[in-house]
């Protein structure tokens, strides 16, 4: 626990030196075009820095350098045990700079400072450390060959990886890609979101300090339709890994098809169902989890529990408990350590969230709490946690990903109906069920078409378990050893003895 006060964070924010330039081959550089964009904090509207606005020319330089670095073997052919040491040093440096990284993250994208420090930094450094620790413990295979032949099944790094990442967990999403990509020996180009470029740049400086050779990790800040598109269309990027919206994920598959058929791995949106049955072991726990599931990180969560499905027989008892739990999740100034719901990422996103609240009213869902912009006097972008009750699954607030603290409550009568509603979504990222019936829990868990399934809890997980989606929530998985598959090609070598 940090003992820093709001005043301490303010003072540090004033003294903070912020780097907004790209990083190619270990050197900071402006965009080739000289273009920049302003980085404005959603916490209070303060100007943070200008950021290099990279485009195709910068992508060309970075890919060429990443390729040359890969071919040189300086990282790709380093022994796993050496790569491991350097990655652990990188993770240690992130932890040593936790307060600085957390402050950058909060200023850049608005999340509560206590979460940035308590969740984002340790989550990011753990992804790097875990992947580094794993790499000298993974073996390749020998096939079941005749005695005069030898069949080897080996993994090789793919080469040049481009990682395009979102703004909701900028460090963690980046490190879920960087951990396995770097551990397996690739060269990586990160394209952070234009809404949150700052921590990626700072982390790359720490990676260099840890001993990751120049050219292995390059950072190209800029917009999706410029530098993001250029990377996705580049003929010499071997693998593209992405976290972001389903709309852009689909576009990236098109870019790959139009260019070099680069491998494309996508972690996309969600509209996850949190299903509370009448036989839940503890309704109080379920109510608190339901509130946290939509309020944590301002609801800017791919796995937000944005559809709360409640068995009708307990609904009148349960919803007042949820409302009570929501009172613990007030929007507050993001640099105040007690704040649990910070600023939305920017004014454009605020308008999107407010337009969904209007859609809820228009569809005649029942507003139970929230619904308005707040704390305007701070100069920041804040919205009240909001609940719509008595909704139907065909309303826009039940179908579309809002990516804000707006909860849609849908009643149901039977287990079959609950599963059908939950599965009636283009998404399949996650779901939770609350029940004390063991068979029901297992059967429902199997029936729900999602990549992450929670029973009597919401949002469990760790680096040890794969994370990703079914359906239009994406393909491939981040985290766990399964993620290493995305960053390696399998080779079969057949030898006559
Ligand atoms: P987004 O799709 O708008 O942007 C994601 C990234 O793609 C950004 O870096 C952006 O600049 C880039 N981009 C945009 N257009 C592009 C183009 N034409 N070519 C190449 N790159 C382009 O998403 P966002 O608003 O940053 O993030 C929110 C989304 O991310 C939500 O849908 C959320 O569910 C999803 N998300 C998913 C996961 C997961 O693991 N499944 C985790 C976090 C967030
Ligand atoms: Mn920002």
């Amino acid at each position: 626990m940090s003992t820093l006060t709001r005043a301490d964070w303010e003072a540090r924010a004033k003294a903070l030196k912020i780097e907004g330039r790209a990083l190619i081959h270990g050197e900071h550089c402006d965009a080739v075009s000289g273009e920049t964009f302003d980085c404005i904090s959603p916490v209070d509207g303060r100007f943070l820095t200008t950021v290099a606005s990279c485009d195709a020319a910068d992508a060309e330089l970075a890919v060429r350098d990443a390729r040359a670095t890969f071919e040189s073997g300086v990282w790709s052919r380093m022994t796993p045990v050496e790569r491991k040491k350097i990655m652990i040093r990188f993770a240690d440096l992130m932890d040593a700079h936790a307060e600085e990284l957390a402050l950058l993250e909060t200023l850049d994208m608005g999340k509560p400072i206590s979460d940035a420090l308590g969740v984002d930094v340790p989550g990011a450094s753990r992804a790097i450390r875990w992947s580094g620790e794993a790499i000298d413990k993974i073996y390749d295979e020998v096939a079941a060959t005749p005695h005069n032949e030898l069949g080897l099944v080996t993994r090789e790094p793919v080469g040049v990886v481009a990682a395009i990442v979102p703004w909701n967990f900028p460090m963690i999403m980046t490190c879920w890609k960087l951990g396995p990509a770097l551990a397996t020996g690739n060269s990586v180009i990160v394209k952070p979101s234009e809404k949150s470029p700052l921590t990626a740049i700072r982390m790359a400086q720490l990676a260099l300090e840890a001993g990751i050779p120049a050219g292995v990790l390059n950072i190209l800040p800029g917009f999706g339709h410029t530098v993001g598109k250029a990377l996705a269309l580049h003929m010499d990027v071997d693998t593209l890994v992405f976290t972001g919206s389903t709309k852009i994920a689909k576009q990236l598959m098109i870019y790959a098809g139009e260019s070099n058929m680069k491998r494309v791995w996508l972690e996309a949106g969600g509209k996850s169902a949190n299903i509370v049955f009448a036989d839940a072991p503890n309704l109080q726990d379920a109510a608190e989890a339901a509130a946290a599931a939509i309020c944590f990180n301002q609801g800017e969560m791919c796995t937000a529990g944005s559809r709360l499905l409640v068995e009708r027989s307990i609904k009148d008892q349960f919803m007042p408990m949820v409302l009570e739990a929501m009172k613990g999740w007030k929007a507050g100034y993001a640099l105040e350590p007690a704040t649990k719901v910070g600023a939305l990422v920017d004014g454009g996103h605020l308008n999107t969230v407010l337009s969904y609240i209007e859609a809820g009213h228009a569809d005649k869902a029942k507003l139970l709490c929230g619904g308005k912009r707040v704390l305007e006097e701070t100069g920041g972008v804040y919205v009240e946690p909001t609940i719509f009750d008595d909704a139907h699954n065909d309303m826009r607030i039940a179908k579309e990903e809002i990516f804000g603290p707006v909860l849609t409550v849908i009643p149901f009568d039977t287990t079959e109906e609950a599963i059908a509603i939950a599965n009636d979504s283009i998404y399949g990222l996650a779901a939770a069920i609350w029940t004390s019936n063991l068979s029901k829990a297992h059967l429902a868990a199997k029936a729900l078409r999602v990549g992450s399934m929670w029973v009597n809890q919401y949002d469990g997980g760790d680096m040890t378990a794969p994370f990703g989606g079914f359906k239009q929530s994406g393909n491939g998985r981040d985290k766990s050893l399964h993620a290493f598959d995305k960053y390696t090609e399998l080779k079969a070598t057949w030898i006559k003895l």
Side-chain angles (χ1 to χ4, degrees), residues 164-165 167-168 191 194 224 228 243-245 248 268-269 302 401 403 467:
I164 299 180
V165 291
W167 47 263
N168 62 334
K191 205 300 276 176
E194 59 278 14
T243 299
S245 64
I248 301 301
C302 52
E401 184 179 45
F403 224 56
F467 178 85

Side-chain angles (χ1 to χ4, degrees), residues 164-169 173 176 191-195 222-225 227-230 232 242-249 251-252 255 267-270 301-303 401 403 427 429 467-469 473 478:
I164 299 180
V165 291
W167 47 263
N168 62 334
F169 290 90
M173 294 301 110
W176 283 2
K191 205 300 276 176
S193 168
E194 59 278 14
K195 300 180 183 184
F223 292 88
H225 63 275
V227 68
K229 180 177 173 180
F242 171 79
T243 299
S245 64
T246 292
K247 177 172 166 231
I248 301 301
Q251 186 58 46
L252 297 183
Y255 292 151
E267 303 289 343
M301 291 268 291
C302 52
T303 52
E401 184 179 45
F403 224 56
Y427 299 112
L429 193 56
F467 178 85
S473 288
D478 280 331

Side-chain angles (χ1 to χ4, degrees), residues 187-210:
S187 292
V188 187
I189 300 161
V190 174
K191 205 300 276 176
S193 168
E194 59 278 14
K195 300 180 183 184
S196 61
L198 303 181
T199 46
I201 299 171
R202 185 67 186 109
M203 285 194 301
Q205 293 174 337
L206 296 175
L208 278 171
E209 195 181 326

Side-chain angles (χ1 to χ4, degrees), residues 102-362:
L103 182 57
L104 274 177
E105 199 84 308
T106 288
L107 288 170
D108 203 356
M109 59 66 68
K111 71 173 65 206
I113 187 67
S114 296
D115 288 346
L117 191 60
V119 177
D120 292 72
V121 178
S125 66
R126 172 150 169 78
I128 300 295
R129 187 177 290 112
W130 192 92
S131 306
E133 284 170 345
I135 196 59
D136 65 347
K137 296 163 191 76
I138 299 173
Y139 292 74
D140 287 328
E141 301 162 23
V142 178
T145 34
H147 88 279
N148 62 342
E149 289 182 312
L150 185 58
L152 302 178
V153 183
T154 54
R155 284 171 194 279
E156 296 179 0
V158 294
V160 176
V161 174
I164 299 180
V165 291
W167 47 263
N168 62 334
F169 290 90
M171 279 188 281
I172 291 182
M173 294 301 110
T174 301
C175 290
W176 283 2
K177 315 294 188 200
L178 280 185
L182 293 176
T184 48
N186 297 285
S187 292
V188 187
I189 300 161
V190 174
K191 205 300 276 176
S193 168
E194 59 278 14
K195 300 180 183 184
S196 61
L198 303 181
T199 46
I201 299 171
R202 185 67 186 109
M203 285 194 301
Q205 293 174 337
L206 296 175
L208 278 171
E209 195 181 326
I212 292 183
V216 173
L217 173 53
N218 302 299
I219 311 290
L220 295 184
F223 292 88
H225 63 275
T226 55
V227 68
K229 180 177 173 180
L231 288 168
L233 280 170
H234 202 287
M235 294 301 286
D236 206 28
V237 168
D238 297 293
T239 289
L240 177 60
V241 288
F242 171 79
T243 299
S245 64
T246 292
K247 177 172 166 231
I248 301 301
K250 290 179 180 180
Q251 186 58 46
L252 297 183
M253 298 179 104
I254 295 172
Y255 292 151
E258 284 173 351
S259 54
N260 64 340
M261 223 169 100
K262 57 181 67 64
R263 284 82 177 102
V264 185
W265 300 105
L266 307 163
E267 303 289 343
K271 191 75 190 179
S272 299
N274 182 15
I275 308 172
V276 181
F277 290 105
D279 60 3
N282 184 328
L283 284 181
Q284 187 56 38
D285 286 352
E288 281 166 22
I294 194 64
C295 293
F296 179 67
N297 212 51
Q298 304 73 244
E300 295 166 334
M301 291 268 291
C302 52
T303 52
S306 51
R307 290 186 296 158
L308 177 61
L309 276 49
V310 185
E311 190 160 347
R312 206 180 301 273
S313 61
I314 54 159
K315 198 162 154 295
D316 288 346
Q317 177 195 354
F318 184 63
M319 285 316 297
M321 297 164 85
V322 176
L323 256 180
E324 190 57 34
M326 288 290 273
K327 288 185 188 154
W329 292 88
K330 281 204 168 40
Y333 188 66
L335 287 178
E336 162 57 52
T339 290
K340 287 174 74 181
V341 179
L344 296 181
V345 71
D346 63 15
H349 188 53
L350 171 74
N351 288 336
T352 304
V353 172
L354 291 175
S355 78
Y356 276 110
I357 291 172
E358 271 168 39
H361 287 302

